[in-house]
Amino acid sequence: MRVGLVSQLVFLYAQAGLIQGKPVLRGLDPRLASRYEPSSDNMFACLDGSQRIPFGRVNDDYCDCADGSDEPGTSACPNGTFFCANAGHVPGTLSASRVNDGVCDYDVCCDGSDEWDSLIKCPNKCAEIGAKRRDDEEKLAQANDAGMRKLQELVAQGRELRRTKSAELEHKRAELAKTEQEYSVAEAHKNELEQIQRDHETHNANTMQQLTTEYLEPVVQYRKELAAQLHILRAHRDTLIRLLKAVRDGHNVEFNDEAVAKVVHEYGEYAEALPYMEEAAQAYVDEDSKARKERELQMDRDSEEDDASLVLCVGAVDIAENELRTVNDDISVLLGWMRDLEGYNRNYHDLAVKGAVVALADFETAREREMSDVSSRHEAANIGELKSKYEEAKPLVDAIAPADESALNSEEENADTDDLEKQVADARSQFWDIQNEKTRLTNEVSNLRELLEEKDLGPHDEFLSLYKQCYSLDTGEYTYEVCLLDRAAQIENKNNARQNLGTFTEFGQNRELNYRNGAKCWNGPERSITVAFECAGVVELVEVKEPEKCEYRAVMTGPFACQLPVSGSEVVDGEAEEHTVKEHVHDEL
């Protein structure tokens, strides 16, 4: 609508400010004041140059210009703007649609000038808001100053650490080159000895095959003959033990027969030293002939497992011959004691002793018959020739087999250091030690090279001294952990369960840290987190949110968002810009 001259003046200048003594249109940015002076013919040119209108139609609450420039102080133009001077604070610019809308827009117009013709009154709060802003700015300046100093400290540490680690990298590269040469020499030496060992083993295997062809059959037969003889002799020993045990347990001590007492005493010492002998003898007595035969057959079957190998069979014969000597010695001693009982005092009617003496006569008759059968069997098997073949084979087998056991035994017995097996073992041990050292150095060189030559540690290496250092924030249900340029995690406080939020992949906008490829969400994406920084002197994780499912955003304070001191035109320009803004703060009419 159009208004009269007086009303126009009110619309135009009421509550407007002054610049150099001249009134300023309501809602007009003072920097544009020169564009709002009437022409010589009292006309106003729209700022977009689209048309000229009478100057009296400026701020008349009717939108004439397409760009809304003719209504800086009203809400007539939807695309217009309203300038708030905000004395005591900073100027602000408000959308024209919010002028006189019944809402105090203190976030932009702390002086309440946007509601100049509204049903509500908006008291001027610029002094309060400005004071808070200046306090916040002072705190921010202090934080920025502390952050800048911390950044300078980290840059200096990073510079020194890069020098140190670069020197370390060169040193380890030299170590690795030396170790790689040692590795090649050790590998060649090991391979050479292993080839000699393989040739030696092949030779031994061929020799063993020849020996097996020649000797296995007679040695197996010899073992079987010894096994058959042992079955008989074990039974003889068990019988004698049973007879002597009966005397010891049943003789009449009151007779005080010296011959009996001497035998009982000597046998008692034997039984006490070898208690299992009586147990075996009793078991022999308790089993019937069928069970005994089955047991002996099972022993033979167990022994036959060795008959496929000349080495094992020679070992079995060696064991059998040793047992044969032991059993014969036992029988000789036991039989001697039994014969000593024959000298007992016959005036005593000691039934236990008499029974043993009678049983001895029967035993010796049966033993003579059984041993005669053994001799006949040996003669039929030509045991002398079988034994001769075994004695020929044994030293030949012992000289070459089993190779592994021979080497082991030689080490245990402090064998000559020139022994092939020991040489191979030493060469392998040396090779493995050098291989482990080579692997360690390779990993260390790779990690240092990656850190110094591939990692983005910031424009001035400011992240280097804190690389992989972790910071955490307890939010109640979860504790979040962010490790700089490394990894991030979410830890459930209830059960300490960890969820991988990703590993560092790259810097984002404004040097944000992007952690990607974390644990997959149920029915959702892989977890990830983006970390933004606020300038401060202390590195802390201060906030974590989840704006999207399994996509987290965190805020950390620290020097990484701070600026290093600059010189020259940048600072001057910055100060000039601040001065220009302050110039807009003025008193209102």
Side-chain angles (χ1 to χ4, degrees):
M1 77 181 173
R2 301 298 180 190
V3 296
L5 177 59
V6 176
S7 297
Q8 288 181 11
L9 291 174
V10 173
F11 275 120
L12 281 168
Y13 299 111
Q15 297 183 7
L18 295 174
I19 291 183
Q20 297 179 351
K22 295 181 180 180
V24 180
L25 290 172
R26 185 192 304 279
L28 178 64
D29 187 336
R31 291 175 295 186
L32 299 176
S34 62
R35 303 285 297 276
Y36 280 81
E37 293 183 2
S39 65
S40 59
D41 56 354
N42 203 33
M43 298 293 286
F44 170 76
C46 299
L47 297 187
D48 63 1
S50 60
Q51 63 174 317
R52 296 173 78 241
I53 62 174
F55 192 78
R57 289 162 64 179
V58 175
N59 263 357
D60 67 347
D61 203 21
Y62 187 87
C63 192
D64 296 292
C65 295
D67 62 358
S69 57
D70 63 312
E71 297 298 319
T74 75
S75 60
C77 296
N79 56 344
T81 58
F82 182 89
F83 180 81
C84 306
N86 294 341
H89 188 36
V90 294
T93 300
L94 191 70
S95 171
S97 63
R98 295 169 66 181
V99 175
N100 292 325
D101 63 350
V103 177
C104 296
D105 297 301
Y106 286 121
D107 57 329
V108 180
C109 288
C110 63
D111 59 5
S113 60
D114 59 311
E115 299 299 317
W116 59 269
D117 190 26
S118 174
L119 294 178
I120 68 167
K121 297 299 180 182
C122 297
N124 188 331
K125 293 186 178 182
C126 286
E128 174 187 345
I129 294 174
K132 184 178 184 306
R133 170 182 171 272
R134 287 186 291 276
D135 183 59
D136 291 343
E137 285 180 345
E138 183 179 355
K139 290 179 180 177
L140 181 61
Q142 291 174 351
N144 286 340
D145 186 56
M148 182 186 68
R149 290 196 301 273
K150 182 63 175 179
L151 182 58
Q152 289 175 306
E153 178 185 325
L154 291 181
V155 168
Q157 290 175 354
R159 187 183 303 117
E160 180 60 30
L161 195 54
R162 179 171 284 277
R163 280 197 293 266
T164 302
K165 287 193 173 292
S166 294
E168 182 183 357
L169 176 59
E170 291 310 308
H171 175 70
K172 288 192 179 295
R173 277 173 168 160
E175 276 191 296
L176 178 59
K178 178 172 177 281
T179 302
E180 284 175 338
Q181 292 179 347
E182 294 174 351
Y183 174 83
S184 297
V185 172
E187 184 179 34
H189 180 58
K190 176 184 74 74
N191 290 344
E192 179 183 6
L193 288 176
E194 287 177 339
Q195 185 58 52
I196 294 173
Q197 183 186 47
R198 284 192 293 271
D199 293 343
H200 182 69
E201 289 173 350
T202 299
H203 171 74
N204 286 349
N206 292 336
T207 302
M208 183 60 68
Q209 184 59 48
Q210 294 174 359
L211 293 176
T212 298
T213 300
E214 181 175 358
Y215 291 106
L216 180 60
E217 185 176 347
V219 172
V220 168
Q221 188 59 40
Y222 182 50
R223 183 199 64 74
K224 290 181 177 179
E225 291 299 321
L226 294 181
Q229 185 178 357
L230 274 171
H231 287 321
I232 294 171
L233 292 179
R234 291 189 194 107
H236 291 174
R237 180 177 60 188
D238 289 344
T239 300
L240 291 172
I241 288 173
R242 181 173 55 83
L243 293 176
L244 286 165
K245 180 177 182 297
V247 171
R248 183 197 63 191
D249 296 343
H251 79 286
N252 193 328
V253 180
E254 294 180 358
F255 289 157
N256 197 22
D257 189 320
E258 290 184 6
V260 174
K262 179 176 179 297
V263 169
V264 167
H265 173 73
E266 291 177 353
Y267 172 73
E269 290 181 340
Y270 172 86
E272 185 177 353
L274 304 171
Y276 56 87
M277 287 294 194
E278 286 190 350
E279 295 174 4
Q282 188 59 45
Y284 175 79
V285 172
D286 291 343
E287 66 181 355
D288 55 30
S289 59
K290 181 178 179 182
R292 185 178 305 121
K293 185 67 175 176
E294 180 57 34
R295 176 174 57 80
E296 292 175 353
L297 287 174
Q298 184 59 49
M299 292 174 66
D300 291 340
R301 284 193 292 269
D302 293 342
S303 299
E304 286 172 1
E305 294 178 3
D306 297 337
D307 292 348
S309 165
L310 180 60
V311 174
L312 297 178
C313 195
V314 166
V317 169
D318 192 37
I319 293 172
E321 285 192 332
N322 287 333
E323 185 182 0
L324 198 62
R325 285 189 288 271
T326 299
V327 173
N328 277 322
D329 289 345
D330 287 344
I331 290 174
S332 177
V333 171
L334 296 169
L335 194 55
W337 288 332
M338 287 297 297
R339 287 172 179 164
D340 288 345
L341 283 178
E342 291 180 326
Y344 78 99
N345 190 333
R346 298 182 183 277
N347 292 323
Y348 300 141
H349 298 286
D350 195 326
L351 297 180
V353 176
K354 286 183 178 181
V357 170
V358 172
L360 175 63
D362 295 338
F363 167 78
E364 291 195 297
T365 299
R367 173 175 163 78
E368 184 177 354
R369 182 180 66 254
E370 289 174 353
M371 294 309 296
S372 176
D373 292 343
V374 168
S375 296
S376 298
R377 174 172 173 160
H378 283 177
E379 185 178 351
N382 200 355
I383 197 167
E385 184 177 344
L386 296 179
K387 181 177 176 60
S388 176
K389 285 289 187 181
Y390 161 73
E391 290 173 345
E392 287 178 20
K394 188 176 189 311
L396 298 175
V397 170
D398 288 346
I400 62 174
D404 291 339
E405 290 181 11
S406 298
L408 180 61
N409 291 337
S410 65
E411 285 185 5
E412 294 174 348
E413 298 167 6
N414 299 318
D416 190 343
T417 55
D418 290 334
D419 177 79
L420 177 59
E421 292 297 329
K422 188 176 187 307
Q423 290 183 54
V424 171
D426 289 345
R428 285 173 177 164
S429 178
Q430 184 182 30
F431 170 75
W432 291 330
D433 288 344
I434 296 174
Q435 185 180 55
N436 290 338
E437 179 67 5
K438 175 175 170 286
T439 300
R440 181 184 68 81
L441 287 171
T442 298
N443 290 337
E444 290 180 355
V445 166
S446 176
N447 291 338
L448 280 171
R449 183 187 56 77
E450 181 183 2
L451 177 65
L452 298 177
E453 300 176 5
E454 297 179 12
K455 286 283 185 185
D456 183 351
L457 299 166
H460 308 285
D461 279 344
E462 58 267 26
F463 280 97
L464 181 53
S465 62
L466 297 180
Y467 178 58
K468 290 189 176 182
Q469 188 159 326
C470 300
Y471 301 87
S472 61
L473 174 66
D474 188 342
T475 63
E477 184 177 0
Y478 299 103
T479 292
Y480 291 89
E481 182 180 74
V482 173
C483 301
L484 296 179
L485 308 190
D486 185 25
R487 56 181 174 77
Q490 179 195 65
I491 306 162
E492 192 169 351
N493 290 333
K494 182 173 62 177
N495 55 19
N496 209 35
R498 296 177 70 92
Q499 289 290 352
N500 177 16
L501 297 186
T503 54
F504 175 72
T505 56
E506 61 185 355
F507 285 97
Q509 294 180 347
N510 302 318
R511 304 297 288 175
E512 293 177 338
L513 306 184
N514 290 328
Y515 294 77
R516 301 292 182 261
N517 306 316
K520 194 174 188 309
C521 266
W522 182 83
N523 201 26
E526 291 179 337
R527 289 176 171 84
S528 63
I529 187 169
T530 298
V531 181
F533 285 102
E534 294 179 353
C535 180
V538 178
V539 182
E540 286 184 298
L541 180 60
V542 296
E543 180 180 272
V544 178
K545 293 183 178 179
E546 187 180 3
E548 299 290 339
K549 182 177 182 179
C550 297
E551 295 179 3
Y552 301 84
R553 289 197 63 84
V555 176
M556 292 185 71
T557 61
F560 309 110
C562 306
Q563 297 295 324
L564 285 171
V566 293
S567 59
S569 60
E570 293 181 55
V571 173
V572 173
D573 292 343
E575 291 176 348
E577 183 178 350
E578 179 66 19
H579 177 70
T580 303
V581 171
K582 288 179 181 177
E583 217 174 43
H584 295 160
V585 179
H586 53 79
D587 295 329
E588 296 182 349
L589 288 177

